Amino acid sequence: MTVTTKGSTPGTPDNPWGDTKTNAPSNGVNLGPTQRPRPMFPEPVPPLEHGPARVVAMVNQKGGVGKTTTTINLGAALVEYGLKVLLVDFDPQGALSVGLGINPLQLDLTVYNLLMERGVTAEDVLLETGVEGLDLLPSNIDLSAAEVQLVTEVAREQVLGRVIKPLLPHYDVCLIDCQPSLGLLTINALTCAHGVMVPLECEFFALRGVALLMDTISKVQERLNEDLEIEGLLATMYDARTLHGREVLARVVEAFGDKVFHTVINRTVRFPDATVAGEPITTFDPSSLGANAYRELAREVLSRWPAPATMAR
């Protein structure tokens, strides 16, 4: 049996995801997947000059919710709108580096060396990607040792912010892909960030850890970074053809209201295909639904940020 929502018919060929943007109800209000009136986000104007960067941490202690996919593709979409973007792979698994076609095992210098070795500078570690305007500080399994070694460091929560600071004047946005935990590495990312974005899979178990994550963010705001803001919660891997997916999304909106992005990232095989190819989906399949979703997310994110789009500490 097909379950319908107001103004849409999920599962039909014309509207497989239940997105009512192009299928308005009789009252003329376009409802998005979050069942809220969906604004049209304007095309951003490319900045006349670059920097300093707004730093955004992608955080969720649950793995497999789309943090790395969002970091890569949001970064690539922002580049299409004329911004310069720095990506920081802050996960020992090195998934962000792999997703951009880099073999972490063949790297001589990574974020680990930048954190732990005084003679290494950010410029030594910085890599260009296959997308012009999108650069990367890569990572590999060596970073797992930093969690232990940083414990004895003075101002251990501020190490990442200190080492990436020289790069920030040259970029408009810095996106930090965090590991799926709330350990010292993630605290470092939150301490140096202006904002935190929470990708959240539309699945019940993904909701369970959100309260703990919000508590951690609140403690960082109180003790380490009073300027830290919650950019928003991003629903990922959404499939409106399932009642469970729609119920989870409705619960997220009910709990967090306007903190939930209007843009929703649908589940599609094109994301893993792009990862295997080592490209953002915006270049791998530019006309796909996934690519357009991240372009819309980029417009929504920019519309939420102060003008100009970036902000200095």
Side-chain angles (χ1 to χ4, degrees):
M1 180 178 70
T2 301
V3 180
T4 61
T5 57
K6 183 178 180 181
S8 66
T9 308
T12 64
D14 293 335
N15 194 10
W17 302 107
D19 186 336
T20 59
K21 184 177 179 181
T22 57
N23 189 11
S26 57
N27 61 8
V29 177
N30 288 325
L31 299 180
T34 63
Q35 294 303 301
R36 296 174 294 175
R38 186 171 186 167
M40 296 297 293
F41 302 107
E43 291 283 322
V45 178
L48 297 177
E49 56 185 28
H50 299 291
R54 182 178 180 89
V55 182
V56 178
M58 297 285 179
V59 180
N60 193 324
Q61 74 270 33
K62 186 180 185 302
V65 297
K67 292 189 297 294
T68 300
T69 298
T70 296
T71 304
I72 292 173
N73 294 303
L74 175 58
L78 289 169
V79 166
E80 288 189 349
Y81 291 124
L83 281 70
K84 286 194 67 176
V85 179
L86 173 66
L87 304 182
V88 180
D89 190 347
F90 216 47
D91 184 349
Q93 297 178 71
L96 181 64
S97 303
V98 172
L100 289 167
I102 296 166
N103 185 347
L105 301 179
Q106 296 179 350
L107 295 170
D108 294 324
L109 295 173
T110 67
V111 169
Y112 170 78
N113 304 98
L114 184 59
L115 293 175
M116 307 309 304
E117 299 176 14
R118 292 189 180 275
V120 177
T121 67
E123 289 79 6
D124 296 332
V125 180
L126 189 67
L127 297 176
E128 295 181 351
T129 70
V131 179
E132 186 176 356
L134 186 68
D135 295 336
L136 170 70
L137 291 176
S139 172
N140 61 19
I141 193 63
D142 292 346
L143 186 60
S144 60
E147 190 103 42
V148 177
Q149 294 172 333
L150 284 173
V151 171
T152 58
E153 290 285 322
V154 176
R156 60 192 179 188
E157 299 92 352
Q158 300 171 3
V159 176
L160 177 62
R162 186 179 70 249
V163 298
I164 68 171
K165 186 176 181 179
L167 292 178
L168 299 185
H170 308 292
Y171 294 91
D172 300 304
V173 182
C174 173
L175 301 178
I176 305 174
D177 183 29
C178 297
Q179 65 176 343
S181 82
L182 296 179
L184 187 53
L185 293 180
T186 300
I187 298 301
N188 259 265
L190 293 174
T191 301
C192 72
H194 299 104
V196 53
M197 186 178 296
V198 184
L200 185 68
E201 181 184 5
C202 291
E203 195 267 338
F204 172 74
F205 289 109
L207 288 174
R208 299 185 64 191
V210 174
L212 176 60
L213 173 59
M214 293 301 168
D215 182 57
T216 299
I217 292 171
S218 178
K219 289 179 179 178
V220 171
Q221 289 171 324
E222 292 173 4
R223 304 173 187 179
L224 296 168
N225 183 2
E226 63 181 13
D227 297 324
L228 181 66
E229 301 176 356
I230 298 176
E231 302 279 352
L233 287 82
L234 174 67
T236 63
M237 304 181 190
Y238 178 64
D239 186 347
R241 296 173 295 184
T242 67
L243 177 61
H244 180 68
R246 298 197 299 279
E247 287 179 339
V248 169
L249 181 55
R251 288 183 61 181
V252 172
V253 173
E254 180 181 1
F256 296 99
D258 290 339
K259 285 296 183 183
V260 182
F261 287 106
H262 288 273
T263 305
V264 169
I265 308 301
N266 296 317
R267 188 183 297 274
T268 170
V269 297
R270 301 307 279 166
F271 288 127
D273 289 346
T275 300
V276 171
E279 295 181 51
I281 197 169
T282 52
T283 60
F284 178 76
D285 191 354
S287 61
S288 65
L289 291 174
N292 288 329
Y294 275 108
R295 291 186 185 106
E296 182 172 2
L297 176 63
R299 294 194 298 272
E300 182 172 3
V301 165
L302 290 172
S303 72
R304 291 188 177 207
W305 288 348
T310 54
M311 180 178 66
R313 172 68 67 196

